[in-house]
């Protein structure tokens, strides 16, 4: 059993207007380690009053502070410093993240490095960015006056907490917004490091505020706050719907990255070795707690038996273990509530498919939220394990006989986040990619994404696309300024001589 990393506070506080503070009502909640399921610390439990204070601080910093008015280069310098600090602390960050979330340490370290890259990328983007100017020869010039929108409300999930926070913080801060972050209640530990990182990078006071707490209290108060004009949310589709409704009376700008049940489609002409490596990593990395997991594998019938046999054999050999051990490939799921949910799907799957690997706790792990990598074959498209997001190390495999059937199966869920296509037929690759209902497609590739490209889902997987300049657009108003050159020619109302 790993020992607790050094430096964990006894209470994870809020961070409001540059101060680490307890909740106004003094309330706290327990934070557990997913290997022992015992509380190792407590966190301040924010409510409306704490959100009000955080929003007030962010509003002051927006209207009176330097941040929104700084030159892009000055803001970029601070963002680059943040990137450097995050990068230099990747080991500490990974230890905190792995301890709190159960993610394998090596993968948590990769996520910390990605978080640094998110800040570096948006620092570069605002310095290199440009806005449009339109000339109407001799008569008008129109230009875009880009302005930060105000206080951004950021609500994040627990699956890769620090990285997903950076994903929103990077572009929100780069745009000149001030922010209130409400991290997931299962995993508040790594978020507590932002305050120190931002202080060291000399981010002005009040620009970044953080309120810990539950979705129904702290999250809800942020969504309904009249002085927060935009909400960037990542989480479950059902929560997204609720937030959409709660934002409607305020007509807030919304960016929603929601759930997924993404297909990985393997045609007989594919490089089967590469497809097996990728589809294993695609569903079992990050403990299967991955929005873009390829959790439905569709395989052309002529290679189906071979694929299934080889896949199951590899899945059985995946190293499940202590998240802190660098050899671990699958760690412990984040929380006993989530463990119970994933285990319930494993039971459902036993009645819906042919169990080829896993199917319960791995041997030698009687405690903790460990689930053995689980593979079900011959899963019918109306099965619950085919249709519903499990968000754990569980995959279903289904055969198909034609391109048409593969497309039909791929599109046959309410979700549309990612799709992975494995084929060496050029025409099929492009036709299939263009017709599959997914916000993002990877062709003969696992999930690697250049930060300039759009990220987002269709159908129940999301609203709007972030990524690159699209993220900056979300956090900015693009005001059109129209200037007349020369004489103004206006139709003259009320100037008629006939009156
Ligand atoms: P969740 O929806 O339960 O919670 C996400 C966040 O929303 C948490 O901070 C929670 O406290 C808050 N929240 C809950 N109810 C709220 C309310 N009524 N008002 C305001 N805030 C509220 O999601 P989760 O279980 O933490 O995360 C897993 C889900 O996130 C999965 O569905 C996964 O697919 C999705 N996800 C999507 C992406 C993506 O980019 N599309 C990335 C990661 C995770």
């Amino acid at each position: 059993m790993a020992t607790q990393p050094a430096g964990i506070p006894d209470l994870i506080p809020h961070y409001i207007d540059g101060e680490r503070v307890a909740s106004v009502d003094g309330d706290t909640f327990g934070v557990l380690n997913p290997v022992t399921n015992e509380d190792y610390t407590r966190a301040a439990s924010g409510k409306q009053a704490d959100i009000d204070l955080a929003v007030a601080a962010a509003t002051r910093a927006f209207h009176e502070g330097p941040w929104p008015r700084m030159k892009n280069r000055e803001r970029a310098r601070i963002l680059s410093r943040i990137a450097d600090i995050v990068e230099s602390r990747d080991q500490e960050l990974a230890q905190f993240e792995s301890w709190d979330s159960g993610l394998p340490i090596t993968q948590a370290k990769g996520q910390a490095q990605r978080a640094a890259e998110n800040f570096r990328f948006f620092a570069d983007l605002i310095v290199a960015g440009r806005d449009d100017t339109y000339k109407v020869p001799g008569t008008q010039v129109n230009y875009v006056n880009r302005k930060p929108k105000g206080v951004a409300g950021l609500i994040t999930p627990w699956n890769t907490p620090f990285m997903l926070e950076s994903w929103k913080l990077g572009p929100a801060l780069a745009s000149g917004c001030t922010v209130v972050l409400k991290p997931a209640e299962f995993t508040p530990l790594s978020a507590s490091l932002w305050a120190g990182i931002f202080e060291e990078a000399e981010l002005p006071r009040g620009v970044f505020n953080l309120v810990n707490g539950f979705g129904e209290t702290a999250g809800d108060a942020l969504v309904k706050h009249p002085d927060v004009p935009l909400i960037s949310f990542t989480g479950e589709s059902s929560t997204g719907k609720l937030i959409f409704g709660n934002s409607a009376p305020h007509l807030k700008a919304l960016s929603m990255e929601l759930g997924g049940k993404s297909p990985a489609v393997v045609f007989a002409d594919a490089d089967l070795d590469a497809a097996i490596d990728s589809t294993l990593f695609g569903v079992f990395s990050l403990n299967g707690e991955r929005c873009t997991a390829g959790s439905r594998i569709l395989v052309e019938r002529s290679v189906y038996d071979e694929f299934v046999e080889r896949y199951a054999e590899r899945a059985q050999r995946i190293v499940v273990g202590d998240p802190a051990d660098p050899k671990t490939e699958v760690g412990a799921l984040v929380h006993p509530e989530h463990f119970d949910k994933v285990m319930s799907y494993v039971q459902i799957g036993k009645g819906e498919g042919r169990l080829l690997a896993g199917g319960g706790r791995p041997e030698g792990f009687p405690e903790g939220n460990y689930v053995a990598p689980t593979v079900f074959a011959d899963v019918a498209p109306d099965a619950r394990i085919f249709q519903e997001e499990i968000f754990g190390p569980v995959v279903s495999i289904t055969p198909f006989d034609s391109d048409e059937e593969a497309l039909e199966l791929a599109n046959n869920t309410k979700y549309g986040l990612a799709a992975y296509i494995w084929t060496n037929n050029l025409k099929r690759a492009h036709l299939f990619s263009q017709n599959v209902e997914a916000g993002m497609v990877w062709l003969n590739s696992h999930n690697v994404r250049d930060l300039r490209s759009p990220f987002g889902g269709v159908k129940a997987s999301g609203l709007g696309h972030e990524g690159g300049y699209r993220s900056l657009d979300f956090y900015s108003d693009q005001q059109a300024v129209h200037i007349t050159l020369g004489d103004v020619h206006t139709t003259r109302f009320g100037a008629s001589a006939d009156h």
Side-chain angles (χ1 to χ4, degrees):
M1 242 286 314
T3 48
Q4 178 166 317
I8 291 181
D10 296 334
L11 175 75
I12 300 175
H14 308 307
Y15 185 72
I16 298 176
D17 206 13
E19 306 287 341
R20 289 159 181 77
V21 292
S23 286
V24 169
D25 66 2
D27 197 12
T28 62
F29 62 92
V31 185
L32 59 76
N33 166 265
V35 171
T36 61
N37 282 329
E38 280 171 14
D39 286 354
Y40 66 89
T41 188
R42 300 192 69 76
S45 184
K47 316 268 168 48
Q48 169 96 49
D50 307 288
I51 289 289
D52 285 349
L53 289 173
V55 173
T59 305
R60 260 194 317 279
F62 188 76
H63 290 300
E64 297 163 25
W67 189 248
R69 283 160 278 282
M70 274 185 185
K71 292 203 172 85
N72 283 3
R73 169 63 76 196
E74 287 177 70
R75 272 209 298 273
R77 222 170 254 139
I78 294 178
L79 296 176
S80 300
R81 281 209 289 270
I82 294 169
D84 289 343
I85 299 167
V86 169
E87 205 163 43
S88 70
R89 292 201 194 145
D90 61 352
Q91 187 62 21
E92 179 196 0
L93 268 160
Q95 279 170 349
F96 271 36
E97 196 78 302
S98 174
W99 177 261
D100 196 29
S101 69
L103 285 178
I105 186 83
T106 49
Q107 297 170 35
K109 195 162 170 180
Q111 296 294 318
Q113 287 157 356
R114 184 70 164 183
E117 192 52 31
N118 279 333
F119 278 93
R120 206 178 301 294
F121 172 79
F122 284 106
D124 292 345
L125 202 59
I126 55 169
V127 173
R130 56 171 181 80
D131 276 308
D132 296 332
T133 305
Y134 306 97
K135 187 173 80 173
V136 187
T139 58
Q140 243 193 12
V141 172
N142 304 338
Y143 70 89
V144 173
N145 174 34
R146 180 180 288 268
K147 304 192 275 193
K149 272 199 181 125
V151 177
L154 313 178
I155 303 179
T156 49
W158 47 257
N159 59 319
T160 49
F162 193 80
M163 195 285 287
L164 283 173
E165 290 149 17
S166 75
W167 184 327
K168 297 183 190 306
L169 288 166
L173 296 176
S175 304
C177 287
T178 59
V179 304
V180 177
L181 169 67
K182 207 300 281 172
E185 55 269 39
F186 283 175
T187 53
L189 182 62
S190 56
S192 69
L193 295 173
W194 285 120
I197 292 167
F198 290 155
E199 283 168 0
E200 202 175 319
E202 294 176 25
L203 186 74
R205 185 189 178 103
V207 171
F208 167 75
N209 302 274
L210 177 151
V211 176
N212 288 299
F214 294 92
E216 303 74 33
T217 48
D220 188 60
L222 186 56
V223 167
K224 292 178 179 164
H225 202 294
D227 297 337
V228 178
L230 68 164
I231 297 285
S232 176
F233 169 76
T234 301
E236 282 188 20
S237 301
S238 54
T239 317
K241 282 186 199 169
L242 191 64
I243 290 178
F244 192 89
N246 289 339
S247 303
H250 304 282
L251 288 175
K252 295 195 180 202
L254 292 172
S255 172
M256 299 218 160
E257 305 288 0
L258 307 176
K261 189 76 186 179
S262 300
V265 187
V266 182
F267 286 92
D269 64 11
D271 175 343
L272 223 52
D273 293 341
I276 288 172
D277 284 347
S278 172
T279 50
L280 279 160
F281 185 80
V283 73
F284 296 119
S285 56
L286 305 178
N287 298 342
E289 299 162 322
R290 179 177 204 137
C291 56
T292 48
S295 52
R296 292 182 295 140
I297 306 179
L298 311 173
V299 185
E300 193 163 4
R301 183 132 5 226
S302 58
V303 290
Y304 182 74
D305 289 341
E306 180 192 349
F307 181 95
V308 162
E309 189 184 325
R310 290 176 59 190
Y311 191 92
E313 196 255 330
R314 285 273 297 277
Q316 282 158 1
R317 288 172 35 206
I318 288 175
V319 181
V320 181
D322 190 325
D325 185 340
K327 290 197 290 300
T328 293
E329 293 171 328
V330 169
L333 299 190
V334 69
H335 194 277
E337 269 174 34
H338 185 59
F339 172 83
D340 289 346
K341 176 187 154 185
V342 172
M343 280 301 212
S344 78
Y345 277 108
V346 170
Q347 287 314 317
I348 291 166
K350 287 177 183 170
E352 292 185 330
R354 180 160 57 99
L355 178 68
L356 293 177
R361 276 188 177 280
E363 259 177 54
F365 293 90
E367 308 287 332
N369 305 322
Y370 291 103
V371 177
T374 296
V375 180
F376 292 108
D378 312 344
V379 178
D382 59 353
R384 286 186 62 191
I385 60 164
F386 187 97
Q387 292 291 338
E388 297 173 23
E389 185 182 43
I390 301 173
F391 219 56
V394 182
V395 69
S396 59
I397 312 183
T398 304
F400 66 84
D401 288 298
S402 65
D403 290 37
E404 295 71 31
E405 192 192 359
L407 186 65
E408 214 276 313
L409 287 170
N411 290 342
N412 180 6
T413 71
K414 65 177 181 176
Y415 295 108
L417 191 55
Y420 306 86
I421 322 284
W422 291 88
T423 178
N424 279 316
N425 178 321
L426 190 65
K427 270 199 218 166
R428 164 191 283 155
H430 286 290
L431 275 179
F432 203 98
S433 301
Q434 291 175 22
N435 289 322
V436 72
E437 292 166 0
M440 296 166 287
V441 178
W442 278 272
L443 257 174
N444 298 322
S445 165
H446 71 278
N447 183 325
V448 278
R449 180 179 150 262
D450 183 283
L451 290 176
R452 288 170 296 185
S453 49
F455 186 101
V458 297
K459 295 162 54 181
S461 289
L463 266 187
H465 279 71
E466 297 194 25
Y469 65 81
R470 293 165 194 82
S471 299
L472 297 181
D473 285 351
F474 175 70
Y475 293 102
S476 318
D477 275 327
Q478 292 164 69
Q479 182 188 47
V481 180
H482 308 264
I483 308 151
T484 295
L485 305 172
D487 296 338
V488 188
H489 298 288
T490 312
T491 304
R492 299 188 66 222
F493 277 26
S496 161
D498 302 343
H499 189 62

